[in-house]
Amino acid sequence: MSKIKPSKGAPHARILGVGGYRPVRVVPNEVILETIDSSDEWIRSRSGIVTRHWANDEETVAAMALEASGKAIADAGIAPEQIGAVIVSTVSNFRQTPAVATLIADQLGTDKAAAFDISAGCAGFGYGLTLAKGLVVDGTAEYALVIGVERLSDLTDLTDRKTAFLFGDGAGAAVVGPSKEPAIGPTVWGSEGDKSETIKQTVWWSDYRDDAHRPERFPAITQEGQAVFRWAVFEMAKVAQQALDAAGISPSDLDVFIPHQANMRIIDSMVKTLKLPESVTVARDVETTGNTSAASIPLAMERLLATGEAKSGDTALVIGFGAGLAYAATVVTLP
Ligand SMILES: CC(C)(COP(=O)(O)OP(=O)(O)OC[C@H]1O[C@@H](n2cnc3c(N)ncnc32)[C@H](O)[C@@H]1OP(=O)(O)O)[C@@H](O)C(=O)NCCC(=O)NCCS
């Protein structure tokens, strides 16, 4: 017989507030065309991207995360001291130690909240959300803050015509807290490490260090576009369906679909495969935000709520997928 008392958590968890931050500088496709041989028409038709935001020197990973978090906390109507855990998902913070989450927890004014970074690429928000739900239901934290933040412009090779137009910068945050009824469904998640070479950093930091006189070797994110595209279209629609099934939701029960904002053609294809009715609002933030990896889902969610395209209480399917190849899909009630 165990002597350990059971944890006392909330019966369920929900997203209570979201916030986003997009860098001031808007970068149209014309700027991308200065360094690659392409056309505005090609970029629009193959990716759906028209503009993206690139951060300036002041818009650091921490600064963008703080802005988004402040808005999410205000939206949730709680005080920073009530936050028991800060989870930051990022692959583009250039100082690995200490975790940027610890600085954010301090600067937000939390009461020494537990804080850590996770690396799950474009699945990062879903991974963080799943951890946050667990913490709230377990009682380890009454409220948890999940942040997805990227400065992918730092890791983009502007001469690589396969990726130069894809990536953007920004931050999205969500406060997760107690709920009387289920509002974050079971997560369907996983990783396919056998395919992990299809999205990767070109050069190891250690190799760059040992060859530092060749700045052109600075690491960037590269990908095998077609292989990733096929995987996303075929495999991720199945995962999305599994998340609907796990939550006991049929496509006609759904109000909103917020897939990772990687490529408009992937989004359109998933909508078709899932046979989503026209009544479902689909996030298409990629058009003006580009692919912001871990930040893409909370940024898209925040925009749909801010524009009134989605409303509080709506049932939304969120699915992130990317480097790893890691993925996570969940049905949530919007804050
Ligand atoms: C990157 C991506 C937009 C490229 O589109 P694509 O249709 O697969 O393009 P391909 O690589 O097959 O190239 C098609 C043709 O366009 C050309 N091309 C490639 N990049 C180009 C560019 N920037 N401008 C103009 N032409 C380009 C290629 O040379 C090729 O020409 P060819 O047919 O004469 O050989 C697409 O593969 C994609 O979105 N992949 C998934 C990205 C993604 O979701 N990543 C997730 C990360 S989380």
Side-chain angles (χ1 to χ4, degrees), residues 27-318:
V27 179
N29 288 340
E30 287 69 36
V31 172
I32 309 294
L33 300 178
E34 290 168 11
T35 47
I36 58 166
D37 175 18
S38 186
S39 68
D40 178 45
E41 203 280 327
W42 191 95
I43 296 172
R44 283 179 194 237
S45 63
R46 293 298 176 109
S47 71
I49 300 169
V50 178
T51 56
R52 70 288 287 146
H53 295 254
W54 282 354
N56 62 32
D57 288 350
E58 282 79 48
E59 291 166 319
T60 61
V61 163
M64 293 192 290
L66 276 167
E67 286 286 336
S69 301
K71 291 179 194 166
I73 293 168
D75 192 38
I78 63 162
E81 305 84 49
Q82 293 174 275
I83 293 170
V86 176
I87 303 167
V88 175
S89 183
T90 185
V91 296
S92 49
N93 186 47
F94 276 10
R95 196 162 68 142
Q96 284 173 294
T97 305
V100 70
T102 59
L103 311 177
I104 293 165
D106 176 55
Q107 286 173 29
L108 281 174
T110 71
D111 182 16
K112 299 181 185 165
F116 55 99
D117 298 351
I118 56 173
S119 170
C122 307
F125 182 74
Y127 274 52
L129 188 65
T130 304
L131 295 177
K133 173 189 171 185
L135 294 172
V136 169
V137 172
D138 179 64
T140 305
E142 188 179 6
Y143 298 93
L145 177 65
V146 182
I147 304 164
V149 54
E150 303 289 2
R151 265 181 68 116
L152 295 180
S153 59
D154 285 336
L155 286 170
T156 301
D157 176 355
L158 292 179
T159 65
D160 176 6
R161 69 206 290 253
K162 290 183 292 185
T163 56
F165 56 93
L166 286 175
F167 301 122
D169 303 336
V175 173
V176 177
S179 170
K180 291 199 180 91
E181 49 179 26
I184 301 176
T187 297
V188 176
W189 64 353
S191 67
E192 296 187 35
D194 59 324
K195 300 185 186 65
S196 60
E197 291 292 305
T198 55
I199 305 175
K200 64 179 180 191
Q201 182 173 317
T202 46
V203 182
W204 286 63
W205 289 113
S206 48
D207 290 344
Y208 177 66
R209 173 199 62 202
D210 297 343
D211 199 3
H213 298 297
R214 292 176 56 197
E216 76 277 12
R217 268 171 54 91
F218 190 81
I221 296 173
T222 179
Q223 66 171 354
E224 293 169 28
Q226 275 198 22
V228 177
F229 191 93
R230 275 198 302 274
W231 173 79
V233 164
F234 293 112
E235 303 304 328
M236 291 306 100
K238 290 183 211 159
V239 170
Q241 184 60 54
Q242 286 165 14
L244 288 176
D245 295 344
I249 297 281
S250 74
S252 58
D253 296 324
L254 211 56
D255 301 305
V256 184
F257 179 44
I258 312 179
H260 170 48
Q261 302 293 300
N263 182 312
M264 200 70 87
R265 289 190 296 141
I266 295 176
I267 297 171
D268 289 338
S269 161
M270 289 179 90
V271 168
K272 217 164 144 189
T273 310
L274 288 166
K275 298 190 174 64
L276 297 185
E278 293 223 339
S279 57
V280 175
T281 300
V282 179
R284 297 183 185 282
D285 197 34
V286 67
E287 182 177 351
T288 54
T289 306
N291 179 348
T292 57
S293 192
S296 95
I297 289 175
L299 272 175
M301 187 184 289
E302 179 261 351
R303 181 157 273 173
L304 288 178
L305 288 165
T307 58
E309 291 167 87
K311 59 182 191 313
S312 173
D314 277 354
T315 302
L317 169 63
V318 299

